[in-house]
């Protein structure tokens, strides 16, 4: 049994939902959950057809599901415009003048957009895109700060059937260029900059740098002026948002698109090579976003919901843009850092806006714990009724702190497991029904046939670790990797015939709860963000001094995992502290700040087998335990290990 599993097994605290909460919740008992779950697995077509009726369709589907593994089509023959479910339909109800987005800029300004106002902006911007020649299925790259215009840009693409690809504002010019090239975008939407920790992040400058590297098919760049700083504008190509909006018509009649019309591409890290473009389509994705918000966040008209993610990640797509808007809920959106001007910012905002549902990442919670209890203690958090976490396994200490210090011991916590590829939450408690335990995402959501398998494909017994798989298609599943069907099959569908392999290790406890242990592949989870070790390695070897590099993860108190790199320099290059720093910066420059290695260790050679393969297992052991165990007889040169051990020990003592 692995150490991870043992630690989890010692966790026997259970928290049942409060009666008051359950009474009002959509799903108020485990019995109700189990009955619906059974229906959703045995009769997925019946279950999902009923759920889908709650969305706005222009034409009803002829068949709910067409499944030819690994390709699924949901609501075949159905037609819709995703933005009608998110916006138009609310305008005929009491929600028209209700706040859709309450936005706070990092410097402190507040802007509120009602559903009607948001709709108007989206219509106008849809016309801007049309005026600039964007057609259905054209790709539009979005590189924006966390301002309402990021959501407006995404929704405007969806409205005209263009495919958006949002690139997180923390990624580098190189990352933008790679994604531009991969998806063949024709238009880029960006801003002059955004605020982060009191500084301006110069987004337009990164777009310019990216376009210098790869202009490809990009004809137009639309620039939203967030900071008002001067930016270079290329004549004929670059246009200001404001000016384009002023020229555009304010009404836009949405066309209906096929249920399987592509909605967006979002890049995520894999275990090899460049990030892959995960493709999501319209009807099924929207349904996943809508129904998980409805059941897991138990969203209601009177709620004020806040998801602290960035729209550059899948969490921002599903749980800031599509899910909450389809549910017609009021949400808070925040531009900046959690610790600006100090670690009280989130709690001050919860108090100011009377937030009732709050969704964040364990890494943020751990940073708050470290900052001290006096920050949340200074604020009235009594408006909160439900808390959520996402992105990585939550350690019991963080769970308990969240429960007691933020939730006041009264709010259920939904620990939600899912991925960019799954589109929506897959495993999570239902807040009015599921007894929760610190560290487990508990039970699968409706329609999710999750299981843990061993190498032979047999289902693991209780407390036995294995691979997490999903055995049946679900509406919001990714349809493919953009432009790479082979990689799609190989990455997710080749371990077991017809089953989706998530890439996570997990086990089920005696009561059937799923405990996610972590990635099984060479993907790190740094502050809840996925990062391929191969990406960092290739960034390192791009530097003129580096001959070879190997990267592994090491548990990190706040970030979950830290990035540790081992580097062999080219002949004649001498290792020194400046070069070490330069290489760390170089990685940040190539990928983005989240990829900056925590430590770089120089080594005359890396541990290799006699056939020349780097022995990563040994490197992982070295960084986690400080020594290596097991069979090292295949190692070419034992001295290499001693050298690395010394370097790691020195770094620790510094
Ligand atoms: O390892 C799992 C971890 O994050 C991975 C997915 O990362 P990404 O596609 O970037 O999406 C993050 C937001 C959905 C998973 O393979 N992960 C995500 N949520 C959890 C988690 N690990 C444990 N518990 C979770 N609740």
């Amino acid at each position: 049994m692995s150490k991870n599993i043992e630690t989890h097994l010692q966790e026997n605290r259970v928290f049942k939902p409060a009666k008051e909460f359950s009474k009002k919740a959509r799903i108020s008992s485990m019995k109700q959950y189990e009955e619906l779950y059974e229906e959703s697995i045995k009769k997925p077509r019946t279950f999902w057809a009923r759920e889908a009726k709650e969305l706005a369709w222009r034409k009803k589907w002829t068949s709910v599901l067409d499944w030819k593994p690994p390709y699924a089509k949901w609501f075949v023959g159905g037609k819709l415009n995703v933005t009608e479910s998110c916006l138009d339909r609310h305008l005929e109800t009491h929600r028209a003048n209700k706040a859709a987005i309450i936005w706070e800029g990092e410097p402190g300004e507040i802007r509120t957009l009602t559903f009607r106002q948001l709709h108007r902006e989206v219509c106008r911007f849809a016309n801007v895109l049309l005026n600039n020649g964007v057609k259905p299925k054209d790709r539009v790259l979005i590189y924006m700060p966390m301002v309402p215009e990021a959501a407006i840009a995404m929704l405007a693409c969806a409205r005209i059937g263009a495919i958006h690809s949002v690139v997180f504002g923390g990624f580098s010019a190189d990352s933008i260029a790679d994604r531009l090239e991969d998806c063949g975008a024709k238009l880029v939407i960006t801003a002059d900059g955004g605020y982060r920790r009191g500084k301006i992040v110069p987004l337009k400058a990164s777009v310019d740098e990216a376009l210098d590297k790869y202009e490809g098919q990009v004809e137009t760049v639309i620039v939203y002026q967030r900071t008002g700083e001067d930016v270079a504008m290329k004549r004929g190509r670059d246009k200001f948002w404001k000016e384009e909006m002023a020229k555009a018509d304010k009404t836009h009649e949405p066309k209906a698109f096929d249920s399987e019309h592509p909605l967006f591409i979002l890049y995520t890290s894999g275990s090899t090579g460049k990030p892959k473009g995960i493709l999501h389509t319209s009807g099924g994705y929207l349904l996943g976003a809508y129904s998980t918000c409805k059941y897991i966040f138990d969203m209601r008209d009177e709620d004020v919901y806040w998801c602290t993610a960035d729209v550059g990640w899948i969490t921002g797509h599903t749980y800031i843009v599509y899910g909450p808007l389809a549910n017609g809920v009021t949400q808070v959106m925040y531009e900046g850092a959690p610790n600006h001007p100090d670690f009280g910012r989130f709690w001050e905002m919860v108090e100011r806006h009377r937030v009732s549902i709050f969704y964040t990442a364990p890494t943020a919670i751990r940073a708050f714990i470290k900052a001290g209890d006096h920050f949340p203690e200074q604020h009235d958090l009594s408006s909160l009724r439900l808390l959520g976490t996402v992105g990585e396994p939550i350690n019991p200490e963080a769970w308990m702190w969240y429960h007691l210090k933020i939730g006041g011991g009264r709010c259920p916590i939904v620990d939600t497991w899912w991925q960019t590829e799954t589109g929506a939450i897959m495993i999570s408690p239902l807040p009015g029904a599921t007894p929760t335990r610190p560290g487990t995402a508990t039970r699968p959501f409706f329609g999710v046939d999750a299981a843990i398998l061993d190498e032979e494909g047999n289902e693991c017994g209780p407390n036995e670790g294995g691979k997490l798989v999903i055995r049946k298609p679900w509406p919001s599943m990714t349809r493919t990797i953009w432009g790479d069907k082979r990689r799609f099959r190989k990455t997710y569908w080749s371990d077991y015939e017809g089953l989706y392999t998530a890439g996570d290790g997990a086990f089920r406890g005696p009561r059937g709860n799923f405990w996610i242990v972590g990635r099984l592949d060479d993907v790190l989870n740094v502050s809840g963000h996925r990062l391929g070790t191969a990406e960092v390695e290739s960034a390192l070897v791009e530097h003129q001094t580096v001959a070879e590099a190997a990267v592994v993860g090491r548990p990190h108190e706040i970030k979950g995992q830290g990035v540790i790199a081992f580097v062999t320099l080219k002949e004649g290059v001498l290792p020194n502290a400046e070069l070490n720093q330069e290489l760390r910066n170089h990685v940040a420059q190539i990928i983005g700040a989240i990829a900056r290695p925590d430590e770089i260790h120089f080594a005359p050679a890396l541990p290799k087998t006699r056939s020349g393969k780097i022995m990563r297992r040994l490197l992982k052991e070295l960084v986690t335990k400080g020594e290596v165990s097991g069979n090292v007889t295949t190692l070419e040169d034992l001295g290499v290990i001693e050298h690395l051990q010394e370097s790691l020990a020195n770094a620790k003592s510094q």
Side-chain angles (χ1 to χ4, degrees), residues 268 313-315 359 362 389-394 415-422 427 439 441 502-504 516-519 525 528-530:
T268 189
W313 309 109
I314 191 68
T315 309
Y359 190 32
T389 71
V390 60
E392 54 183 314
I394 181 162
D415 171 357
T416 63
W417 175 86
W418 60 295
Q419 309 175 294
T420 306
E421 293 85 343
T422 68
I427 303 181
D504 279 319
I516 315 295
V517 180
R519 299 288 309 185
N525 193 323
H529 302 312
R530 256 158 87 168

Side-chain angles (χ1 to χ4, degrees), residues 102 143 222 286 306 351 411-412 417 450 505 598 629:
I102 304 171
Y143 186 67
I222 297 182
L286 182 66
W306 182 15
E351 177 174 357
C411 305
W417 175 86
D598 294 87
S629 58

Side-chain angles (χ1 to χ4, degrees), residues 570-581:
K570 286 187 179 152
E571 272 303 314
V573 184
L574 291 177
N576 59 49
E578 284 83 59
L579 181 57
N580 196 307
Q581 190 57 34

Side-chain angles (χ1 to χ4, degrees), residues 521-557:
D521 49 11
D522 288 320
V523 172
L524 307 182
N525 193 323
V526 180
S527 303
H529 302 312
R530 256 158 87 168
L531 185 66
T533 52
E535 275 173 82
V536 184
E537 287 164 5
S538 86
L540 281 166
V541 296
E542 267 178 48
H543 193 272
Q544 62 203 13
T545 61
V546 176
E548 203 170 35
V551 169
V552 292
R554 178 167 72 196
H556 184 284
E557 196 193 349

Side-chain angles (χ1 to χ4, degrees), residues 10-297:
Q10 285 156 16
E11 181 55 68
N12 46 26
R13 288 169 286 197
V14 190
F15 299 86
K16 293 216 171 97
K19 284 217 174 68
E20 274 308 293
F21 193 104
S22 295
K23 244 197 300 184
K24 294 190 205 136
R26 287 196 175 80
I27 305 293
S28 52
S29 68
M30 279 313 266
K31 185 165 166 278
Q32 197 187 351
Y33 159 72
E34 267 151 16
E35 279 166 15
L36 268 177
Y37 180 74
E38 192 178 306
E39 183 201 29
S40 74
I41 297 297
K42 288 198 176 140
K43 295 183 187 157
R45 288 170 175 81
T46 311
F47 179 88
W48 287 118
R50 194 172 60 233
E51 288 295 310
K53 279 196 197 124
E54 294 180 18
L55 299 176
W57 293 87
R58 287 283 189 84
K59 183 167 169 272
K60 205 184 160 196
W61 53 90
T62 46
S63 140
V64 175
L65 169 66
D66 174 3
W67 176 226
K68 293 190 184 67
Y71 298 107
K73 287 186 183 154
W74 283 88
F75 307 107
V76 186
K79 282 189 187 290
L80 78 166
N81 186 295
V82 165
T83 67
E84 277 189 304
S85 287
C86 296
L87 299 168
D88 302 61
R89 65 166 167 168
H90 301 311
L91 305 189
E92 288 140 34
T93 70
H94 62 281
R95 291 178 180 148
N97 295 320
K98 171 181 167 172
I101 297 178
I102 304 171
W103 174 80
E104 261 199 49
E106 197 186 69
E109 62 272 59
I110 296 175
R111 251 173 87 193
T112 301
L113 284 138
T114 62
F115 278 95
R116 195 188 299 284
Q117 288 166 328
L118 185 61
H119 173 261
R120 209 173 287 154
E121 296 292 298
V122 170
C123 286
R124 222 187 250 278
F125 198 69
N127 288 325
V128 168
L129 294 176
L130 293 173
N131 293 346
N132 281 284
V134 180
K135 305 219 159 33
K137 294 196 185 167
D138 278 349
R139 275 78 63 207
V140 172
L141 187 137
I142 300 177
Y143 186 67
M144 291 282 270
M146 279 293 287
V147 290
E149 280 66 21
I152 292 166
M154 291 162 75
L155 290 161
C157 288
R159 195 162 180 95
I160 63 162
I163 307 173
H164 60 71
S165 186
V166 184
V167 177
F168 170 56
F171 278 137
S172 64
D174 281 64
S175 300
I176 304 171
D178 286 348
R179 286 155 174 77
L180 275 176
E181 187 171 357
D182 191 79
C183 75
K186 154 166 186 188
L187 185 136
V188 176
I189 305 166
T190 188
D192 46 7
Y195 289 94
R196 187 91 192 159
R197 276 191 202 97
K199 293 207 186 90
I200 290 179
V201 182
L203 299 168
K204 172 66 165 60
S206 296
V207 168
D208 288 342
E209 205 186 319
L211 289 172
D212 283 346
K213 287 184 189 2
Y214 182 85
E215 198 164 35
Q217 280 124 73
V218 178
E219 289 162 11
T220 313
V221 178
I222 297 182
V223 185
Y224 175 72
Q225 286 159 292
R226 158 67 185 126
T227 64
E229 296 275 293
D230 269 348
V231 288
M233 295 291 280
K234 186 169 167 184
R235 196 186 288 263
R237 186 193 73 185
D238 301 351
K239 303 173 180 178
F240 283 117
W241 175 291
K242 203 166 56 186
E243 289 166 15
E244 290 299 293
M245 286 292 255
K247 283 191 273 178
D249 201 341
K250 66 172 189 286
T251 56
H252 177 266
E253 271 311 309
K255 284 202 181 75
F257 295 97
D258 260 6
S259 175
E260 281 299 331
H261 188 87
L263 182 62
F264 66 84
I265 302 168
L266 183 61
Y267 286 85
T268 189
S269 297
S271 50
T272 52
K274 299 255 182 230
K276 42 200 180 192
I278 300 300
L279 180 76
H280 282 287
T281 60
S282 304
Y285 170 79
L286 182 66
L287 182 59
Y290 170 77
S291 62
T292 48
C293 278
K294 181 178 103 178
Y295 289 113
I296 297 170
F297 294 122

Side-chain angles (χ1 to χ4, degrees), residues 477-489:
M477 65 198 282
T478 173
R479 300 303 195 255
T480 190
I481 293 177
W482 181 257
D484 203 343
K485 282 187 170 179
R486 257 187 61 197
R487 192 170 175 196
F488 177 65
R489 275 184 184 274

Side-chain angles (χ1 to χ4, degrees), residues 426-490:
M426 301 292 277
I427 303 181
S428 167
L430 292 180
T434 319
T436 54
R437 287 161 191 269
T440 169
T442 72
R443 304 279 284 270
F445 184 62
F446 300 130
V448 176
D449 185 12
I452 320 273
L453 304 186
D454 66 16
E455 289 300 329
E456 279 74 51
N458 303 312
E459 203 162 344
C460 296
N463 302 339
E464 197 186 323
K467 289 184 181 176
L468 178 59
V469 300
I470 315 292
R471 295 184 287 204
K472 287 200 168 74
W474 64 100
S476 64
M477 65 198 282
T478 173
R479 300 303 195 255
T480 190
I481 293 177
W482 181 257
D484 203 343
K485 282 187 170 179
R486 257 187 61 197
R487 192 170 175 196
F488 177 65
R489 275 184 184 274
K490 189 162 172 280

